[in-house]
């Protein structure tokens, strides 16, 4: 018998202050990376898909972003282009 499936991981990359496209409020947004990995006998082997998204902490709206946009936002949050850091956390892993 072979047991296989998928497992999801959620990494919080940064916390940014942006204007929300849905509610229009300048609020904190979390920049997250969602990775789905193929598992064999409950051991994660390789990633199947990787998605980046931002979530507004005011209204909860999520917006997908590309990898390039996520990297640019992350460099802005670390002060690379004059941005401010608002509690950036190293890769925090959550199971969903």
């Amino acid at each position: 018998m072979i047991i296989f499936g998928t497992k999801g991981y959620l990494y919080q990359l940064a916390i940014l202050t942006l204007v929300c496209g849905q509610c229009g409020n300048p609020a904190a947004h979390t920049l997250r990376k969602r990775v789905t990995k193929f598992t064999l006998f409950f051991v994660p082997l390789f990633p199947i898909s990787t998605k980046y998204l931002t979530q507004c902490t005011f209204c909860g709206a999520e917006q997908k972003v590309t990898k390039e946009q996520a990297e640019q936002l992350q460099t802005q949050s670390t002060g690379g282009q004059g941005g401010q850091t608002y509690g950036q956390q190293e890769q925090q892993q959550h199971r969903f």
Side-chain angles (χ1 to χ4, degrees):
M1 176 166 52
I2 297 175
I3 301 171
F4 65 93
T6 60
K7 184 176 180 182
Y9 296 90
L10 188 62
Y11 300 99
Q12 183 171 321
L13 303 176
I15 298 178
L16 311 158
T17 300
L18 303 170
V19 176
C20 181
Q22 178 132 0
C23 66
N25 290 316
H29 285 67
T30 55
L31 177 62
R32 295 181 177 164
K33 176 180 171 182
R34 186 175 294 169
V35 181
T36 304
K37 293 186 178 183
F38 176 79
T39 60
L40 184 63
F41 295 106
F42 306 105
V43 177
L45 296 178
F46 54 88
I48 295 174
S49 72
T50 302
K51 297 177 183 175
Y52 295 89
L53 54 100
T54 60
Q55 183 177 22
C56 177
T57 58
F58 188 80
C59 69
E62 291 185 349
Q63 180 180 357
K64 291 182 182 179
V65 294
T66 64
K67 181 179 179 180
E68 292 78 19
Q69 290 171 332
E71 289 172 353
Q72 183 181 17
L73 288 170
Q74 194 171 6
T75 57
Q76 287 177 358
S77 76
T78 58
Q81 296 178 357
Q84 293 179 326
T85 303
Y86 291 93
Q88 176 182 344
Q89 297 176 2
E90 288 300 315
Q91 294 181 346
Q92 186 179 42
Q93 182 174 336
H94 298 283
R95 184 175 177 190
F96 62 95

